[in-house]
Amino acid sequence: MSGPTKDDILATLSRITDPAKGTDIVSAKMVSGLVVKNGAVGFALEVDPARGAALEPLRKAAEDAVKGMDGVTSVTAVLTAHSDTPGSAPPPTAAAAPKGPPPNLGLAKEGDKPIPTSKDTGPIEGIDRIIAVGSGKGGVGKSTVSANIALALAAQGKKVGLLDADVYGPSQPRMLGVSGRPSTPDGKTILPLRNYGVTVMSMGFMLEDDQSVVWRGPMLMSALQQMLRQVQWGKLDYLIVDLPPGTGDVQLTLSQKTQVDGAVIVSTPQDVALIDAKKAIDMFTKLNVPLLGMIENMSTYICPNCDHEAHIFGHGGAKKEAGTLGIPFLGEIPLDIDIRTSSDGGTPIVVGKPKSPQAARFRDIAAAIIDATTKVPA
Ligand code: ADP
């Protein structure tokens, strides 16, 4: 089935004017993350969070205009916080990202001598809160959850960055549909990429394609320091850090070299994943990182044909464990084919199918994180 192209949709959107700016929303570069598939259209309007509520009529007008086009079967338009990188050019979008070799910042490579690690340990300028997403075991959906939480926070008007620190399997570039390389205008700082209103940096951007990572402890430490302190994150309400699984050097460095405001632990309901999750919880406790709570991923499976609910990896294990450990339980995410295909396709479910119940689960978790991390004025 064919439908309108991205250009057709941009042409329609360019007839919508932002009254406050007096310019159309395409020229004003407010439209981002446009996806079109078989007549189903999704896009975000990047706006100043302070104007969020007032811009709902603009969002609706844009959505309705696209809905009225021939061949369009569904439209989802969301408002997201725009990028704000004081004193620098905005990060390039995925499409504008330069290709080619990774930027040479003297990052550690196999066989290199360790680079002296920066002595900086304090908060990172411009970043209000750092949230670490960890798991005991790999493959439990930590990256999927990190990406969707980042997008759900952005959908709620927050300025969000996502740091993919999973050196052993960096997957955020693919999940967030960004490719190419970040650039380094001065050889000292890195301009991150950006998609769906989220600023993204990944260890994966710094590697040659297919290069395996055998960084040892000190190299990991210096690479992570560079990701934290040499990337022009701009002003962020939240930096979500997608950690490697387990309890290794990256977790330790992150917690010791800057202030982590909270950790979220992702686990499947199985005992074996929970045993490892408990180790991760224990590590964050020892490092004095507040535990925001546990998420049970792949919790239940609902057959799309007959609605039968099956518990492939068991059910409720993480909730029970959170209760035993006295930490909050943030929610359950079902094992769901749309969650997998949307992430694999570079359009995580929160932006790919924002009206789905699965996307709502991620938004509820994001709301719980906002609640838990909003400082009450003294
Ligand atoms: P991790 O970061 O813990 O290694 P990933 O997020 O990369 O795990 O997920 C591993 C695989 O499982 C990916 O293919 C992902 O799409 C899939 N996946 C994760 N969560 C779900 C879910 N709730 N339902 C279906 N597939 C999922």
Side-chain angles (χ1 to χ4, degrees):
M1 202 168 93
S2 69
T5 64
K6 283 189 179 183
D7 284 346
D8 298 335
I9 287 160
L10 288 173
T12 298
L13 289 175
S14 67
R15 293 201 285 274
I16 311 281
T17 300
D18 176 1
K21 292 184 182 162
T23 5
D24 76 83
I25 57 175
V26 176
S27 312
K29 300 203 176 347
M30 291 168 76
V31 179
S32 77
L34 174 61
V35 280
V36 191
K37 202 167 175 196
N38 293 337
V41 181
F43 59 89
L45 292 184
E46 299 201 0
V47 299
D48 180 347
R51 293 178 66 207
L55 287 170
E56 173 54 25
L58 188 69
R59 186 203 66 78
K60 180 92 178 51
E63 192 172 77
D64 288 348
V66 178
K67 253 185 210 154
M69 293 172 70
D70 280 346
V72 170
T73 50
S74 70
V75 185
T76 310
V78 293
L79 295 175
T80 72
H82 65 48
S83 135
D84 183 2
T85 315
S88 73
T93 60
K99 305 268 181 219
N104 183 1
L105 288 162
L107 270 170
K109 287 196 295 300
E110 180 183 4
D112 279 355
K113 289 205 178 73
I115 296 168
T117 309
S118 157
K119 298 274 182 294
D120 291 346
T121 52
I124 299 166
E125 207 190 319
I127 301 183
D128 269 2
R129 300 173 193 84
I130 298 183
I131 308 292
V133 181
S135 68
K137 220 163 76 77
V140 298
K142 173 184 48 58
S143 302
T144 308
V145 169
S146 305
N148 279 294
I149 288 179
L151 293 165
L153 286 168
Q156 291 177 42
K158 302 295 177 193
K159 292 187 177 121
V160 184
L162 176 58
L163 170 56
D164 182 2
D166 189 350
V167 265
Y168 305 108
S171 48
Q172 294 302 350
R174 180 175 46 85
M175 284 198 188
L176 286 175
V178 292
S179 59
R181 300 282 183 199
S183 56
T184 169
D186 53 5
K188 291 193 197 102
T189 56
I190 310 171
L191 281 179
L193 300 183
R194 193 171 158 79
N195 205 11
Y196 308 125
V198 169
T199 303
V200 195
M201 187 60 208
S202 169
M203 299 279 206
F205 288 142
M206 313 312 286
L207 301 170
E208 296 286 359
D209 289 342
D210 301 328
Q211 184 187 342
S212 66
V213 180
V214 278
W215 288 340
R216 306 277 174 238
M219 295 176 180
L220 283 175
M221 276 152 63
S222 74
L224 184 68
Q225 278 282 63
Q226 286 180 323
M227 298 291 111
L228 290 171
R229 297 187 186 274
Q230 282 172 248
V231 169
Q232 289 192 19
W233 289 107
K235 190 146 172 32
L236 295 181
D237 296 312
Y238 287 93
L239 177 66
I240 305 293
V241 184
D242 178 7
L243 290 169
T247 53
D249 290 315
V250 175
Q251 286 79 348
L252 206 63
T253 306
L254 180 73
S255 313
Q256 290 177 338
K257 296 290 176 187
T258 189
Q259 186 189 332
V260 181
D261 298 86
V264 171
I265 307 293
V266 181
S267 176
T268 60
Q270 282 164 297
D271 280 347
V272 59
L274 281 172
I275 290 167
D276 290 328
K278 271 194 266 184
K279 287 187 198 153
I281 290 170
D282 187 47
M283 174 195 65
F284 284 118
T285 309
K286 288 196 176 119
L287 292 167
N288 288 325
V289 174
L291 279 153
L292 298 181
M294 249 175 135
I295 296 173
E296 182 167 297
N297 189 30
M298 309 190 188
S299 186
T300 59
Y301 173 73
I302 298 169
C303 171
N305 295 322
C306 68
D307 284 345
H308 172 70
E309 187 171 327
H311 300 149
I312 293 175
F313 300 117
H315 177 227
K319 186 172 190 174
K320 196 160 152 246
E321 197 55 48
T324 311
L325 295 169
I327 62 171
F329 181 67
L330 294 171
E332 291 174 5
I333 306 292
L335 177 68
D336 174 72
I337 185 123
D338 284 344
I339 293 182
R340 188 190 67 71
T341 52
S342 58
S343 294
D344 289 354
T347 319
I349 196 139
V350 165
V351 284
K353 289 198 172 178
K355 290 193 179 142
S356 63
Q358 300 89 317
R361 293 280 175 100
F362 285 113
R363 281 195 300 271
D364 289 347
I365 291 174
I369 291 175
I370 294 174
D371 268 1
T373 54
T374 303
K375 291 158 196 151
V376 182

